[in-house]
Amino acid sequence: MTDDRDPSGATAGPSAAPPARDPPPSPAPPTTDRSFLDAALDERDAVGFVAVGDRRDADLRFLTRFEGSEDDCAYVRTLDADVLCAPRGHVARAARRFDGRVSSDRPGDHPGERAAAVLDGVVDAEQAAPRTVLVPSSIPHDAAVYLERAGYELRSTTAVADARATKTDGELDAVRAVQRAAVRATDRGERVLAAAETDDGDELRWGDAPLTAERLRRVVNAELARRGVDSAGNTVVAAGATGSESADEPIATDEPVRIDVAPREPHGYHGFRSRTVAVDSDGGWERRAYVAVEAALEAALDEVEPGADAADVRREAEAELTAFGFDPTGGSGEGDPGGDPIETGHGVGLSRRERPFLRAGETLDVGCVLAVAPGLTDPEHGSVRLGDLVVVTEAGYELVGDGTRSFAPQGRY
Amino acid sequence: MTDDRDPSGATAGPSAAPPARDPPPSPAPPTTDRSFLDAALDERDAVGFVAVGDRRDADLRFLTRFEGSEDDCAYVRTLDADVLCAPRGHVARAARRFDGRVSSDRPGDHPGERAAAVLDGVVDAEQAAPRTVLVPSSIPHDAAVYLERAGYELRSTTAVADARATKTDGELDAVRAVQRAAVRATDRGERVLAAAETDDGDELRWGDAPLTAERLRRVVNAELARRGVDSAGNTVVAAGATGSESADEPIATDEPVRIDVAPREPHGYHGFRSRTVAVDSDGGWERRAYVAVEAALEAALDEVEPGADAADVRREAEAELTAFGFDPTGGSGEGDPGGDPIETGHGVGLSRRERPFLRAGETLDVGCVLAVAPGLTDPEHGSVRLGDLVVVTEAGYELVGDGTRSFAPQGRY
């Protein structure tokens, strides 16, 4: 165990096996029960459901478990069909993932055309209009036009987003796995801050160079990679005044350093964690903000239970921040550099941010995975945020990962 | 320099500064000259251009240089307007990136509605129909419907994809930076293979555990992270028979091990590199395939010059593979597990795969960045691929990064 000696997590010497204690491999890929679509078809008197998207489309990944391609795929569901139209060059890979039928017909045609052809093959052409097809509202416009030209009337459905909002046990296994890496990576970042030395002035050095936010970001991301998950471009290491482009400036000892991660594991599920520490706070804004944010996190978590109004989670956090004398809408307001408010939380899954959102009309159900992460930002002093990941359970919620936190990184080791 | 001793790239001991020799920070963010849109508007007699997309949309990133959000943004261009409608909570960050006007009006409304409102504010309502608006063909359908309901007639344009196909000097700086990391990461993977020991049987061990494709993938990705770039979920480490789910099985000494990376640097640009090695090939399929693929790579590169037909690059590579007795369309054909053919190449930029594609009708122009990466796959033996990144120049092409390669990883160190 070199962890206790070398804060970077690098292990020693030429003969050592480098990332020795490998974490366990990813859990089995989650599966999707797509029968909820049949209920949606029945309810809307629709002949089919179509989704079209590329590898960045979380709905399509949820429906097919295929990791996708740069070119769009189409997924078609009717009472008689359950088909993934995969692009040329991706058919065999798609067939290894998707448990329905993978079509390699007309792979060079537009996926909207291919989806229409699948529908034409199973939908009775004599059926009286309208022949309604359900689609996610953000389906690519060109695909929608192909379907409309083929005589189908499109209606948007939130059925897929609704289904994604509560997770199955298999999905929770994936979330727990990626969250373990999120915890270790943020811990690693704190450990480096704890081990950094103070310059003659008030700046941090690590090894033989100044410690910058960018160096810290790389350490955090390397730890994620070593644990088999991707940073997914989501890692934020922010030190000092918000809005300044200071990633390559040395971190000052009294600055709050915020580390946010939302990594993605190989099946596509995200974790989330946010921590803020200061190496040697002078007890000013950042200390007051930390205390307020900690209280806001606890107040927000207290609201998490099945049936709760998701907006209450946000409202309780904001009330706590206000009680401590802060303006949770972002201090100097939108439009000001550094003035973007910090979002209190949101659902997490195949998208790093998805339903439930903490707004009116959203309810927390058993199986929802939620990032709860209030924060404060100030143009002069920086930002402070604390965020954990929870899953809503019958009893309230279960913390995913590790909830320990402290403002001084040294306090933990 | 511990590189020569410890193949993982980890540096030694408790007192050492871990990722000591930090590579230089990213180059300055590239900028975009959006005046090509004015020419497109003029040519199509259109009143405006609208793009809508989230953080995964490369067109929107190109147009605005804003890294985006989970919620859709809208970009609107007319002769009088150059506006980014950013979602609530992202306005200040967008304003730091985008050099036009950032609108925070109606941030809770749909971006399609907001785009229509911007157009309504600058387009003369009395103007005779059709009031044509140009959009990328894959604009989200709900945004398109909002624009159509506001009285605009949509026409799709490829102007953005066309502009993205040739890179500016600023974009090339970003590509060169990420490609340096791609080279070092694939080299790191080879180095670990070179340092691995052979078990009693014919399997590789590294440190005190079997060397698996998954362990090797993690080493490669940690090296990318240390160099400040993201694996972007694109790293493939494939050993042995294709199609088998063998990432957690020990790698056999005679298996071809393919390492593909397409990392993304902080401004969003991708690199690309592919290498294949075998620790102790018995000279069978994989050796013959390697020789053929190497010849195909050279033949393909010979075709790269300004004005060339992009399809010729692919055709020359396939002709070479055929001359060596292989079937470049993927051996056992599509639909067979492991039967997906390997794509010979494609443009690289803000998308890991973008124009120019190596197909009829595409021409190579100065400034195109191209992955040239022929390969062969065989259900029984595995896959062999060699890929480099080039930029088309007046003189032909410039190799980005390092073109060295060898089938035996030991040969290099």
Side-chain angles (χ1 to χ4, degrees):
Chain A
M1 294 293 292
T2 56
D3 277 4
D4 298 332
R5 298 175 298 151
D6 180 351
S8 80
T11 53
S15 63
R21 358 127 244 135
D22 270 329
S26 287
T31 56
T32 303
D33 175 359
R34 295 183 292 274
S35 61
F36 71 90
L37 288 172
D38 301 332
L41 295 181
D42 188 51
E43 189 187 323
R44 305 280 292 275
D45 205 18
V47 298
F49 166 89
V50 173
V52 173
D54 64 14
R55 63 195 287 266
R56 290 169 285 275
D57 191 290
D59 281 355
L60 215 72
R61 182 141 195 195
F62 175 75
L63 291 167
T64 67
R65 298 297 170 186
F66 172 49
E67 62 271 36
S69 70
E70 295 292 334
D71 291 324
D72 281 346
C73 294
Y75 168 73
V76 184
R77 176 98 176 182
T78 73
L79 290 181
D80 304 304
D82 186 44
V83 180
L84 170 61
C85 303
R88 193 190 301 280
H90 298 274
V91 173
R93 208 162 46 90
R96 288 200 292 275
R97 302 275 181 258
F98 179 58
D99 60 1
R101 183 167 78 82
V102 175
S103 163
S104 59
D105 296 346
R106 302 163 55 179
D109 293 348
H110 191 282
E113 263 180 292
R114 298 176 67 191
V118 172
L119 289 172
D120 289 346
V122 291
V123 174
D124 185 354
E126 303 301 305
Q127 182 171 337
R131 299 189 302 165
T132 303
V133 169
L134 303 182
V135 295
S137 63
S138 62
I139 187 173
H141 185 54
D142 46 0
V145 169
Y146 275 117
L147 291 166
E148 289 175 341
R149 285 191 188 149
Y152 298 97
E153 194 162 300
L154 303 190
R155 291 284 172 266
S156 76
T157 178
T158 61
V160 182
D162 294 346
R164 284 174 51 198
T166 56
K167 272 67 178 175
T168 63
D169 289 346
E171 292 177 291
L172 291 177
D173 286 345
V175 170
R176 289 190 185 101
V178 67
Q179 186 66 3
R180 279 193 291 274
V183 168
R184 298 301 291 264
T186 45
D187 280 357
R188 180 75 66 205
E190 288 196 38
R191 201 169 299 194
V192 168
L193 282 163
E197 286 157 16
T198 305
D199 217 338
D200 293 341
D202 60 351
E203 291 177 346
L204 294 178
R205 289 185 71 79
W206 184 46
D208 52 9
L211 180 58
T212 65
E214 174 62 13
R215 285 185 79 200
L216 201 51
R217 188 181 73 87
R218 293 178 182 193
V219 168
V220 170
N221 284 347
E223 182 66 22
L224 292 172
R226 266 196 289 272
R227 294 179 177 276
V229 306
D230 263 340
S231 67
N234 295 335
T235 300
V236 173
V237 177
T242 52
S244 63
E245 303 295 322
S246 58
D248 294 317
E249 296 294 313
I251 298 172
T253 51
D254 62 347
E255 283 176 342
V257 182
R258 174 161 68 97
I259 305 176
D260 285 6
V261 297
R264 185 176 52 201
E265 53 83 58
H267 307 310
Y269 286 84
H270 289 79
F272 177 84
R273 198 175 200 230
S274 180
R275 288 294 183 267
T276 304
V277 295
V279 169
D280 185 20
S281 166
D282 60 12
W285 179 89
E286 65 276 8
R287 163 58 73 180
R288 289 187 297 112
Y290 189 90
V291 172
V293 169
E294 199 165 33
L297 174 60
E298 284 169 11
L301 287 172
D302 280 348
E303 296 300 310
V304 178
E305 60 180 15
D309 180 347
D312 281 342
V313 177
R314 178 175 52 76
R315 276 192 287 259
E316 285 301 313
E318 290 178 356
E320 203 68 40
L321 296 174
T322 304
F324 276 88
F326 291 97
D327 174 2
T329 61
S332 42
E334 291 195 289
D336 177 275
D340 285 331
I342 287 175
E343 191 176 15
T344 306
H346 47 75
V348 172
L350 285 170
S351 295
R352 73 164 178 183
R353 183 173 171 278
E354 62 180 34
R355 289 198 50 214
F357 299 107
L358 303 186
R359 63 190 179 203
E362 300 249 354
T363 302
L364 302 185
D365 295 315
V366 171
C368 284
V369 172
L370 208 62
V372 181
L376 286 167
T377 179
D378 180 276
E380 195 181 332
H381 297 101
S383 60
V384 170
R385 192 182 199 190
L386 291 171
D388 282 319
L389 195 68
V390 299
V391 51
V392 181
T393 62
E394 294 288 355
Y397 68 86
E398 168 204 322
L399 182 72
V400 185
D402 175 62
T404 55
R405 54 178 184 261
S406 79
F407 192 46
Q410 294 93 333
R412 308 189 55 185
Y413 303 109
Chain B
M1 295 294 291
T2 57
D3 277 4
D4 298 331
R5 298 176 298 150
D6 180 351
S8 82
T11 52
S15 64
R21 2 126 243 132
D22 270 331
S26 287
T31 55
T32 304
D33 175 359
R34 294 183 292 275
S35 62
F36 71 90
L37 288 172
D38 302 332
L41 295 180
D42 189 52
E43 189 187 322
R44 305 280 291 275
D45 205 19
V47 298
F49 167 88
V50 173
V52 173
D54 64 14
R55 64 195 288 265
R56 291 168 284 275
D57 191 289
D59 280 355
L60 214 72
R61 182 141 196 195
F62 175 75
L63 292 166
T64 67
R65 297 298 170 185
F66 172 48
E67 61 271 34
S69 70
E70 295 291 335
D71 291 326
D72 281 346
C73 293
Y75 168 72
V76 184
R77 176 98 175 182
T78 72
L79 291 181
D80 303 303
D82 188 43
V83 180
L84 171 61
C85 302
R88 192 191 301 282
H90 298 274
V91 173
R93 206 161 48 90
R96 287 202 292 276
R97 301 276 181 258
F98 179 58
D99 60 1
R101 183 166 79 81
V102 175
S103 164
S104 58
D105 297 345
R106 303 164 55 179
D109 293 349
H110 191 282
E113 265 180 291
R114 298 176 67 191
V118 172
L119 289 171
D120 289 346
V122 291
V123 174
D124 186 354
E126 303 300 305
Q127 182 172 335
R131 300 189 302 165
T132 303
V133 169
L134 302 182
V135 295
S137 63
S138 62
I139 187 172
H141 184 55
D142 45 1
V145 169
Y146 275 116
L147 291 166
E148 287 176 342
R149 286 192 186 150
Y152 298 98
E153 194 160 300
L154 304 191
R155 290 283 172 269
S156 76
T157 176
T158 62
V160 184
D162 294 346
R164 284 174 51 198
T166 57
K167 271 67 177 177
T168 64
D169 288 346
E171 292 178 290
L172 291 176
D173 286 345
V175 169
R176 289 189 184 102
V178 66
Q179 186 66 3
R180 280 193 290 273
V183 169
R184 299 300 291 263
T186 44
D187 280 357
R188 180 75 67 205
E190 288 196 38
R191 201 168 300 194
V192 167
L193 283 164
E197 286 156 18
T198 305
D199 216 339
D200 292 342
D202 60 350
E203 292 176 346
L204 294 177
R205 289 186 70 80
W206 184 46
D208 53 10
L211 180 58
T212 65
E214 174 61 13
R215 286 185 76 199
L216 201 52
R217 188 180 73 86
R218 293 178 181 192
V219 168
V220 170
N221 284 347
E223 182 66 21
L224 293 171
R226 265 196 289 271
R227 294 180 177 275
V229 305
D230 263 338
S231 67
N234 294 336
T235 301
V236 173
V237 177
T242 52
S244 62
E245 302 294 323
S246 59
D248 294 316
E249 296 293 312
I251 298 171
T253 52
D254 61 347
E255 282 176 343
V257 182
R258 173 161 69 98
I259 304 176
D260 284 7
V261 297
R264 184 176 53 202
E265 54 82 59
H267 306 310
Y269 286 84
H270 289 80
F272 176 85
R273 196 174 202 231
S274 180
R275 288 295 182 266
T276 305
V277 295
V279 170
D280 185 20
S281 166
D282 61 12
W285 179 88
E286 65 275 8
R287 162 59 72 182
R288 289 188 295 113
Y290 188 91
V291 172
V293 168
E294 199 166 33
L297 173 61
E298 285 169 9
L301 287 172
D302 280 349
E303 295 300 311
V304 177
E305 60 180 14
D309 180 346
D312 281 343
V313 177
R314 178 176 51 77
R315 276 192 285 260
E316 285 302 312
E318 290 178 355
E320 204 66 40
L321 296 174
T322 305
F324 277 87
F326 291 97
D327 174 3
T329 60
S332 42
E334 290 195 291
D336 177 275
D340 284 331
I342 287 175
E343 191 175 15
T344 305
H346 48 75
V348 173
L350 285 170
S351 295
R352 73 165 179 181
R353 181 172 172 281
E354 62 180 36
R355 289 197 51 211
F357 300 105
L358 303 186
R359 63 189 179 204
E362 301 249 354
T363 302
L364 302 184
D365 294 316
V366 171
C368 284
V369 173
L370 208 62
V372 181
L376 287 166
T377 180
D378 180 275
E380 194 182 334
H381 296 101
S383 60
V384 170
R385 193 182 198 189
L386 290 171
D388 282 319
L389 195 68
V390 300
V391 51
V392 181
T393 63
E394 295 288 356
Y397 68 87
E398 169 204 321
L399 181 72
V400 185
D402 175 63
T404 54
R405 54 178 184 260
S406 78
F407 191 46
Q410 293 94 332
R412 307 188 55 183
Y413 303 109

